[in-house]
Each structure stands twice: as structure tokens, then as C-alpha cells.
Amino acid sequence: MLVIKNLHVSIQDEKQQTKPILRGVDLTIRPGEVHAIMGPNGSGKSTLSNVLAGRDDYHVESGSITLDQEDLLALAPEERAARGVFLAFQYPTEIPGVNNMYFMRTALNSLRKQKNLPLLDAADFLMLIKTKIKEVGLNDSFLQRAVNEGFSGGEKKRNEVLQMLLFEPRFMILDETDSGLDIDALQMVASCVNQLRQADRSVLIVTHYQRLLDYIQPDFVHVMSKGKIIKSGDKSLVQELESKGYGWIEAEMTS
Amino acid sequence: MTAQTAWDNFIQQGLPHRQQERWKYADLSSLQQQILVAVTPVSLPVIKQSLASFLKLDDYVLVMVNGFFLRELSVLPENVLLSSPPLHTTAWESLDLTQHPFVTLNQAMPADGFTLTVPDHVQVDQPIYVLSMTLNAQNALINTRHAICLGKQSEITLIEKNIALHSDNYLVNQTITINLAEEASLKHCKVQDEALSAFHVANTVIAQHRYSRCALQHFSLGSIFARDDVTVLLKENGAHCETNGLYVLKHDQQYIDHHVDIMHQAPHTQSAMLYKGILNKKSRAVFNGKVAVAPHAQKITAHQANHNLLLSPLAEVYTKPELEIDADDVKCKHGATVGQLDNDALFYLRSRGVTLAEAHALLLQGFAVDLIERMPQQTLQEEMHTRLA
């Protein structure tokens, strides 16, 4: 489904210096699989998430990303979304003045239009969203507010999961969705992801902690350090990381 | 001032030039090169046909075509008084007219218009449209003059629309004087949607008495050169005014210039000013908002803000919020911003499948929504939202 080959990505810092962030990432995610990427701060995990979704602040130096054999890097963010890519943001953007419900209906209809599906009118959409919003534990008043504006950290993450339930993406990226969440919110995120888990849908979870992975069992776990995946394994790797930290793998690499 | 005196003054003074502080960004050279003529009359059937799509049968409306008031097409509530041509007013005498040369020109020339009088205690709940249309006019000088007088505790909403059909290179030079008696309340929403080759110059002076309330909203979309001067005199205790504006410039060489002067002349008066601009291509906007507080005008509050979005590297904004405070117990706040569309917000929307064009439209609507929501009618709000995209 998703194939990343030898991906090198850089960013321009404030002094207009080119700074490499990803230095040769290889990753293959097949339909139905759940992968987790862990790793110390600054290792490039969030960069990878954002490059997958199409943020243009990053410069892809070399390498490729394909989704179902299609060149993902050649597509605009909205085209990637139409093919089923969804990024749950680490820091969801506040958009003053843009009504949350109107935004979600515009987005859903834009996705449906790109897939040649009939558009939903305001009444149909309201029915749909009212059932979904209960599942993420937000009350209806959040629909009438501006997108993420003044939401608490937890409310922002719930609003991300709401969109995930609504758009039913085929490839979901959770960029530290668990950070800053209390245990109830964490369980809600896990149950929503598990509910969406099916044979043709894949998940990439970027996280620092074991907690979320206790609830969403990953098929594969990768450790990223200094812009590369330096170790991959099954979910037992999570426990090992939790008890020993990242140092031993990094040491293993350099020895 | 007689027309003759005004004419002599105007001849002596001429059109404003850029050495004058209030006009330093205004390039009137294309107006100077132009020969403006009086409008040729348009027959009533043609007018009726042209206006049909703008008029609804159940609206109250005052119709102006090419600067002439058309009583036949106007519909007013029964308890409101109207005289046309307008009655003589002394409202401009409190202003330094050397700063307002187009007012002098307006007084020097023949002008039609109306005086609208709302008697004490009369409250009209349905809005009254003022439809000013320029029709089949080329290079015309259209000079109009209105006065609006609200009696004690009276209340009206005016929706002024400036539109054009088959007209080019004309100049609209409009003056409005407004007087609000004790506890009167006026909402005045203006939509300036002139032809893109037109000059639109408007001067408004408002005198407010005890506890009167005035809300002005100026939405500017059209014309190549627009100048809008508003002076509000908060003359008595408790008077409150809100001046708002949204200007949307989408075309090369489009220029708009707002000068808003709020004069706090009495204690416990309040003012709030919010103007926002969206500029594309090689357009320019000037905003000059001034709050002046007289020495004895204690315990007043004043807010002013101007926010601008530049969508093109060629667009320019000159913004100057000014405070001139001679009292010592006041609350005043002012600020201005010039920025671009938020890249993070654009990416967020697009990552959800919203196309680039739709994402732009959503963000522009989001920027302007707090002003658009104040428009007195739902249909106007929807119209304005679609005009942003």
C-alpha cells in the first residue's frame, strides 16, 4: 500500500541554511497493518508525518513515496486526502472565523466530489456528525465554534479524531495524538482507531509512549533516530524501549 | 454657505493634491485629466426595467438614479417624513472644509437628494433601502446630498447600495449629514459596488446627542478610486457610535481611502471602530482612523482597530490609527495589523481535502465574518460572503 524508499528531506532554517532532517527512510506498510514509530525528540518523526500529508515547508531531496503504486509526492495535499491519506495533527491549527461544522462539511463534500460521490446537504450532514461527535466525547456546541479556536489540548485531539471518523481515511497517520491526553481521552482515541481498523486500512502511529500502544496493538514497531529508522521489530520492542530507553539502540548502531 | 461662495472657494482651492496631509496617498491625476459632464436624462420605463432586479415589492426604498431622487419609485413607511430636494443644513459649518474639498464642490454644484426625518418615538422595524444607481452614464459628474434626522427615541435601519449599469468613468460625489436626537438609534449599512472605472467620493458628518446610538458599516467592493470620510461628533453624555468597514480590492490600480474622525466632545461617550481590508493584485488601501478626546470629556471609552490581509506582493496598505487625547481619565485602545493568509491554516484545510481555491475562500470569509455578521439582513450577508471568494 504505502512504500517509502530512501527518503531524504531537508528544511530551511531561519538563517536560510539547509538542514537535513530525514536521511534515508525506508518503510513499507501493507493494507490492514498498524505501524508505530517511536524515537527521541528531533529524530524526524513529525517531519515524516507532515511530508506524507504534503506540507510544503519541507524539501524532498531524494527518494520516493508511493501509495498504491502512485507517486504521492507529485500530489497536492487535497489530492492525497482524496486518496485516503489523513494526518491527525500533533498541534491542530486554530482557524478563527471558520465554523467547525461548515469546515467539516466542505471538506467531506470536497472529498466526495473528488470521488464522484453525491454531496451531502446541511441536514444530512447534521445527522451524520451528531452521531459521530458523541463517540469522541465532545458536545454539539463545538460544531458551532471556530475550528479549534480556544479548544483545550484534549478537545483539539478529539476534534481530530472526529474528522477521522467522518472522512473514513484508508491511511491514517496519528502524530503524537496521545500527547497531553488524560486516560479517558486516550481510551477514546484507541477505541475509535480500533473501530476503523480493517483489512484495507492502514495506520501509522507516531508516539513517545507505550500507553497508546497498550490499547492499539501495533503489528510493527520502528525506532527512528537522527532521520533514519534504526531498528524494527514487533510489539515486544515497545516494552524493551520503555524499560531501557533509546540509548542502547543508538549505541548498538554506532558500535 | 451659498453655492456661489462654495464655487469661489472650490475654484481657489482646486482638487486636493498630495502635499495635503489628508490626501497624501490619493492619486487624482486621472480625475484631473478627465472632462466630466452633466448626466443626460434617462426615461422612466428604462429606469424601471433596469431597477427591476434590485427592488422587491415589499421593501421600503428611496431610489436615486444618476443623482436624481425618483419619488415615483420610492416607498416609505407612513410615519416618516421626506423632502426632496434636501432641506438646507448647517451641519458642515462645524468642520474645516479646506480639509474636505469635495464637500465644497458638492455645495458649489446643483445637487439632488433628500432629507429624511423620523419623528420622535417613531421606530421602523423594517430596513429602508437607499438605492443609488448610475445608469447609462459616461464621464458624468453625479452630485448628491442627503440629510437624515432622527427624533428622540426614534429608530431606523438604512441599507444604502451604490450600483451601476452600463456606466463608466463617472464621479459620484455624495454628502450625507446625520443628526441623532436623544436616545435615537441609527443603523446605516452601505454597500459600495460602483463600476470598476468609477470614482466614488463620500463625506458623512454625524452629530449625536444624549445616549444616542449609531452603527455605520461600510462595505466597499467597487470603483477604481474610493474615498470615504466620516466625522462623528459625540456631542453629549452617553452617545455611542460604532464605525465598521470591510474593503475588498481585487483589481490592479484599485484604491480606497477611509478617513474616520471620532470627536469625543462630552463625558461618558463611547466609540468602537473596526475596519478590515482584503487586497489583491496591485491595489492600495489607506486607513486613517482618528479619535480625538476633548479636555472635559472624561470617562470615555474608545477602541479602534484596522486589520489587513495582503494576497499579493504588489498590494499596499497605509494604516494610521491615531489618538489625540486631552482628557486624563479615559480608556482608549488602538491597533493595526497587516498580514498574509495563514500558511498553517491553508495546509490544515487542504490536508482534509479542501481544494486550494475553497481553502482561500474559507479563510477570507473567516477573516471578514465578524463584520459580515453585523449586516442587517441575511441575504446581504450571503451576498457578501460570495463576493469574497
Side-chain angles (χ1 to χ4, degrees):
Chain A
M1 182 178 196
L2 183 90
V3 180
I4 303 173
K5 278 191 184 149
N6 196 25
L7 186 68
H8 286 77
V9 172
S10 65
I11 194 167
Q12 289 225 313
D13 65 14
E14 305 91 69
K15 293 172 191 152
Q16 305 302 310
Q17 305 270 314
T18 303
K19 190 178 149 200
I21 300 182
L22 298 184
R23 307 161 189 254
V25 173
D26 290 284
L27 182 65
T28 299
I29 299 177
R30 282 175 290 270
E33 292 179 351
V34 175
H35 289 237
I37 294 188
M38 305 182 79
N41 292 326
S43 57
K45 304 184 302 292
S46 277
T47 298
L48 180 63
S49 309
N50 279 284
V51 169
L52 285 169
R55 191 189 278 271
D56 61 6
D57 305 345
Y58 300 97
H59 184 240
V60 176
E61 303 278 348
S62 61
S64 66
I65 306 176
T66 57
L67 182 70
D68 302 324
Q69 282 92 46
E70 189 179 16
D71 179 7
L72 203 63
L73 294 173
L75 301 177
E78 59 270 31
E79 294 168 323
R80 299 183 195 198
R83 282 158 183 76
V85 176
F86 180 92
L87 168 64
F89 282 59
Q90 183 181 3
Y91 303 110
T93 314
E94 298 197 8
I95 312 181
V98 177
N99 176 278
N100 201 24
M101 181 154 73
Y102 185 73
F103 148 64
M104 288 191 215
R105 183 157 73 93
T106 305
L108 183 61
N109 276 337
S110 184
L111 291 170
R112 292 177 70 90
K113 200 160 148 190
Q114 294 181 65
K115 294 181 202 163
N116 290 318
L117 292 169
L119 303 189
L120 295 183
D121 65 22
D124 293 341
F125 184 78
L126 190 64
M127 295 276 284
L128 179 68
I129 191 104
K130 287 221 167 178
T131 59
K132 305 275 184 194
I133 197 166
K134 281 195 187 73
E135 296 184 43
V136 301
L138 288 176
N139 70 44
D140 290 358
S141 68
F142 283 87
L143 296 173
Q144 295 311 330
R145 291 172 60 175
V147 180
N148 294 321
E149 194 187 33
F151 290 21
S152 73
E155 289 159 355
K156 283 180 182 167
K157 299 291 173 81
R158 288 175 193 269
N159 203 45
E160 295 290 284
V161 176
L162 172 60
Q163 293 170 57
M164 199 163 75
L165 291 179
L166 200 60
F167 304 151
E168 301 181 322
R170 290 178 49 237
F171 179 63
M172 301 179 269
I173 309 157
L174 277 68
D175 187 5
E176 298 195 26
T177 301
D178 52 345
S179 63
L181 288 190
D182 60 33
I183 199 74
D184 291 341
L186 195 74
Q187 286 179 350
M188 177 281 299
V189 171
S191 93
C192 288
V193 171
N194 286 329
Q195 172 195 332
L196 286 170
R197 223 169 149 168
Q198 58 186 56
D200 61 349
R201 194 172 271 151
S202 312
V203 187
L204 179 63
I205 300 170
V206 172
T207 182
H208 277 293
Y209 308 107
Q210 183 190 338
R211 286 194 317 175
L212 181 63
L213 302 177
D214 289 342
Y215 299 106
I216 310 172
Q217 301 276 321
D219 300 300
F220 297 93
V221 177
H222 312 276
V223 178
M224 194 173 225
S225 171
K226 300 191 177 97
K228 280 178 113 159
I229 289 175
I230 56 168
K231 193 172 183 68
S232 298
D234 61 15
K235 61 180 181 259
S236 64
L237 185 56
V238 180
Q239 270 93 43
E240 219 172 337
L241 289 169
E242 199 76 14
S243 57
K244 299 205 276 186
Y246 296 113
W248 64 278
I249 307 178
E250 285 173 336
E252 212 171 67
M253 287 298 294
T254 48
S255 64
Chain B
M1 189 162 46
T2 65
Q4 185 59 49
T5 323
W7 183 248
D8 293 342
N9 289 351
F10 183 74
I11 291 297
Q12 201 176 10
Q13 198 181 356
L15 283 172
H17 48 79
R18 299 179 68 170
Q19 279 75 44
Q20 285 165 272
E21 179 63 23
R22 276 181 82 91
W23 295 85
K24 67 176 173 185
Y25 301 111
D27 182 2
L28 281 165
S29 53
S30 57
L31 186 64
Q32 272 156 358
Q33 286 157 15
Q34 204 168 310
I35 297 168
L36 293 171
V37 296
V39 280
T40 43
V42 183
S43 73
L44 198 57
V46 173
I47 291 173
K48 276 186 179 162
Q49 199 188 351
S50 309
L51 280 175
S53 63
F54 295 97
L55 292 177
K56 284 207 306 284
L57 284 174
D58 53 350
D59 282 336
Y60 294 131
V61 64
L62 299 168
V63 180
M64 299 284 300
V65 173
N66 293 348
F68 295 99
F69 177 65
L70 291 173
R71 195 175 286 273
E72 308 85 317
L73 297 176
S74 299
V75 185
L76 261 190
E78 277 175 6
N79 40 12
V80 166
L81 310 172
L82 187 111
S83 27
S84 179
L87 305 173
H88 179 72
T89 168
T90 55
W92 293 107
E93 284 168 17
S94 56
L95 266 63
D96 172 11
L97 286 190
T98 61
Q99 301 294 319
H100 300 268
F102 282 93
V103 175
T104 312
L105 178 63
N106 184 276
Q107 295 186 341
M109 311 262 310
D112 198 14
F114 52 77
T115 295
L116 184 70
T117 306
V118 187
D120 290 354
H121 311 294
V122 168
Q123 287 156 8
V124 182
D125 44 11
Q126 209 183 317
I128 302 171
Y129 275 84
V130 178
L131 198 60
S132 291
M133 177 184 261
T134 303
L135 180 61
N136 301 343
Q138 312 298 324
N139 302 87
L141 170 56
I142 293 158
N143 209 35
T144 62
R145 209 177 286 161
H146 305 307
I148 296 156
C149 302
L150 270 68
K152 286 177 190 170
Q153 293 179 338
S154 68
E155 195 175 325
I156 57 164
T157 297
L158 292 179
I159 299 172
E160 177 188 345
K161 275 194 161 187
N162 300 273
I163 50 175
L165 266 184
H166 315 300
S167 299
D168 277 307
N169 303 314
Y170 59 91
L171 164 66
V172 167
N173 184 22
Q174 165 182 292
T175 63
I176 304 182
T177 61
I178 297 173
N179 188 70
L180 304 186
E182 278 175 49
E183 295 175 49
S185 172
L186 170 70
K187 266 192 200 139
H188 182 174
C189 174
K190 167 179 173 176
V191 181
Q192 184 267 100
D193 196 10
E194 303 277 11
L196 277 172
S197 59
F199 288 76
H200 179 93
V201 181
N203 279 278
T204 307
V205 62
I206 303 171
Q208 288 191 238
H209 298 87
R210 281 168 57 88
Y211 295 102
S212 61
R213 299 181 71 85
C214 182
L216 289 191
Q217 306 159 345
H218 285 185
F219 293 85
S220 302
L221 301 162
S223 77
I224 193 75
F225 178 102
R227 169 81 186 208
D228 212 310
D229 283 38
V230 174
T231 304
V232 183
L233 310 170
L234 299 170
K235 295 172 90 94
E236 290 177 9
N237 205 22
H240 178 287
C241 80
E242 197 182 287
T243 46
N244 298 139
L246 176 69
Y247 41 95
V248 183
L249 307 186
K250 291 184 174 178
H251 304 275
D252 283 333
Q253 312 307 331
Q254 240 187 325
Y255 173 87
I256 188 155
D257 193 334
H258 281 287
H259 272 67
V260 186
D261 295 334
I262 311 291
M263 320 298 271
H264 286 266
Q265 299 175 339
H268 300 285
T269 49
Q270 297 179 338
S271 69
M273 186 191 296
L274 174 64
Y275 281 73
K276 289 188 176 185
I278 298 171
L279 288 90
N280 209 338
K281 302 279 181 67
K282 197 174 160 48
S283 62
R284 289 190 303 148
V286 177
F287 174 79
N288 196 308
K290 181 170 156 186
V291 169
V293 185
H296 61 283
Q298 304 292 4
K299 309 269 183 204
I300 66 108
T301 62
H303 295 275
Q304 49 172 337
N306 174 230
H307 302 297
N308 298 278
L309 263 188
L310 302 187
L311 304 181
S312 144
L314 299 174
E316 293 174 16
V317 170
Y318 302 88
T319 175
K320 188 176 171 193
E322 279 181 272
L323 294 174
E324 207 179 274
I325 304 172
D326 293 322
D328 54 17
D329 184 12
V330 302
K331 271 188 203 155
C332 295
K333 200 165 83 177
H334 67 166
T337 60
V338 179
Q340 294 163 344
L341 279 183
D342 178 358
N343 237 335
D344 288 339
L346 267 183
F347 175 60
Y348 187 84
L349 295 172
R350 294 178 74 192
S351 79
R352 298 307 189 235
V354 179
T355 62
L356 182 59
E358 280 176 315
H360 267 243
L362 273 179
L363 293 183
L364 294 184
Q365 288 169 2
F367 175 73
V369 69
D370 55 345
L371 292 172
I372 294 175
E373 273 176 350
R374 300 176 205 210
M375 295 182 103
Q377 283 190 325
Q378 185 77 30
T379 48
L380 281 178
Q381 296 181 8
E382 284 161 12
E383 205 181 303
M384 192 54 57
H385 272 300
T386 58
R387 293 293 295 272
L388 291 185

